[in-house]
Amino acid sequence: MTKTKSKNGSSSLGVLIALILLCAILAIASPNFLSLTNLMNVLKQTAFNALLAIGMLLCLITAGIDLSVGANATFCACMAGMMIQHNVKSSFLMIVVILVSGLVFGTINGLLLTRLHLPHPFVSTLGMKNVLWGAALIVTNSQMVSNFPSGVTWLGSKTVFTAIGGGIPVSFLLVVILYIVMHVFLTRTSLGRSIYCAGGNMEATRLSGINSANVLTFCYALSGLMAALGGLVSIGRSGICNGSNATQPFDTDAIAACIIGGASFNGGKGTMLGTMLGALIIAVLRNGFALLSISSAVQNLVLGLVIIGAVLIDVTRERMEAKARRLAAK
């Protein structure tokens, strides 16, 4: 346990150093980067991806993946848009529908994997991404919807301490609270430890008496719920819902945040702190690209290279650790 904590701490420290270096480079390249207003914008941009990354991290820890988080967030926002189109303007009812919708489809993802035994979550969640994309367009008749009530837009638009660069986004404060809660959950509860066990060795988890199917279903259900929260935040950020956004690379950004933060596609690894730092790096990159007027094509190219680099580092580290264990066993 001590060695694991030491490795996690070392990994997070490396990500923190990378974030600081990236900020230093962008501060030199653009004088506006370190302005308080821009830094608050970075936090606002971080919130959406960080929420999706919470659920993504749990799926990655179990050696799975959820490619439907972005489409789920868009669909949940479009469910509220459908209610606007039908003159239902109760903020409370909209928020309930948004959260329940995300939770239901996240749970379906888990059940497809654990009850119908689809071969890999890549298959089920990729299919679900397309289902939700189509559903988001259907429920809104392929129209953008606006004029949401203030109770729905509050989370994504409200700021506090407005004297600080226009204010600290409430959505980012929510992210900080959720990350602290999830850190305690993963490190201090039996279910949290079971999630790591399931990712480390599924068969050993089953033999130890842990219901691995329920653990996996929980992870995908929580991923759906976090996507719903992300959808709620997106309404406040933009003031609209648009079913076409289901095709945006939101899931790629969430995966990148987790992998950069130290998670592994092989499962059993990843921390909330590392994921938060990874989400900040993604937001800083995209913000810096915008300040420097870099095209979206180049942005996606660079982000893809960052993901590949993070995976290569993880694979290299795994090989070095395996080699060290073999030498120690001799």
Side-chain angles (χ1 to χ4, degrees):
M1 182 66 72
T2 303
K3 289 183 178 179
T4 300
K5 288 182 178 179
S6 176
K7 289 177 183 177
N8 289 337
S10 176
S11 176
S12 297
L13 179 60
V15 179
L16 177 59
I17 292 172
L19 176 61
I20 293 172
L21 289 175
L22 178 60
C23 290
I25 293 170
L26 290 175
I28 295 171
S30 174
N32 295 324
F33 176 76
L34 289 181
S35 68
L36 283 176
T37 300
N38 186 63
L39 292 178
M40 292 305 104
N41 284 333
V42 170
L43 297 185
K44 185 177 292 186
Q45 293 166 5
T46 301
F48 176 76
N49 187 35
L51 286 170
L52 301 189
I54 292 176
M56 186 67 73
L57 176 63
L58 265 64
C59 296
L60 287 172
I61 290 175
T62 63
I65 197 169
D66 187 354
L67 297 176
S68 68
V69 287
N72 200 353
T74 300
F75 170 77
C76 292
C78 286
M79 287 295 290
M82 178 189 68
M83 296 174 73
I84 291 290
Q85 290 178 328
H86 289 82
N87 295 316
V88 179
K89 297 186 177 181
S90 166
S91 295
F92 175 77
L93 188 58
M94 282 187 188
I95 292 172
V96 170
V97 168
I98 287 171
L99 297 180
V100 170
S101 297
L103 180 62
V104 166
F105 279 99
T107 303
I108 290 173
N109 277 334
L111 294 176
L112 288 173
L113 177 65
T114 60
R115 306 305 179 190
L116 296 184
H117 305 290
L118 293 187
H120 193 277
F122 179 93
V123 177
S124 55
T125 60
L126 180 60
M128 185 59 71
K129 176 177 181 176
N130 285 276
V131 168
L132 291 168
W133 174 22
L137 292 171
I138 289 171
V139 297
T140 57
N141 294 315
S142 300
Q143 297 176 350
M144 288 189 294
V145 183
S146 57
N147 298 320
F148 288 94
S150 58
V152 175
T153 61
W154 182 86
L155 182 60
S157 61
K158 179 67 174 178
T159 59
V160 294
F161 308 113
T162 53
I164 306 175
I168 301 174
V170 170
S171 56
F172 184 77
L173 295 179
L174 171 65
V175 164
V176 171
I177 293 170
L178 287 175
Y179 269 67
I180 292 172
V181 170
M182 289 303 299
H183 170 74
V184 174
F185 166 73
L186 286 174
T187 59
R188 295 288 186 269
T189 67
S190 58
L191 178 55
R193 290 189 288 270
S194 296
I195 293 172
Y196 280 106
C197 289
N201 190 320
M202 190 66 73
E203 183 62 18
T205 301
R206 186 185 65 80
L207 293 175
S208 65
I210 297 173
N211 190 322
S212 56
N214 288 346
V215 171
L216 291 176
T217 303
F218 170 82
C219 291
Y220 285 90
L222 185 63
S223 181
L225 182 60
M226 291 300 106
L229 275 176
L232 183 59
V233 167
S234 72
I235 293 174
R237 281 182 54 189
S238 63
I240 64 170
C241 71
N242 183 0
S244 298
N245 286 338
T247 60
Q248 294 297 312
F250 299 136
D251 46 357
T252 305
D253 281 8
I255 293 169
C258 297
I259 297 299
I260 291 170
S264 172
F265 285 113
N266 294 322
K269 292 168 57 179
T271 65
M272 296 311 303
L273 175 58
T275 302
M276 171 63 85
L277 293 173
L280 284 168
I281 285 179
I282 298 300
V284 167
L285 273 173
R286 291 204 178 276
N287 179 263
F289 289 147
L291 290 176
L292 299 174
S293 300
I294 296 175
S295 70
S296 60
V298 175
Q299 291 184 35
N300 290 328
L301 185 149
V302 172
L303 183 59
L305 291 175
V306 168
I307 296 174
I308 292 172
V311 173
L312 283 174
I313 291 172
D314 176 59
V315 170
T316 302
R317 184 171 57 241
E318 290 279 358
R319 288 174 179 172
M320 292 177 65
E321 290 175 359
K323 183 177 180 180
R325 286 194 296 269
R326 288 195 300 269
L327 292 175
K330 291 182 179 179

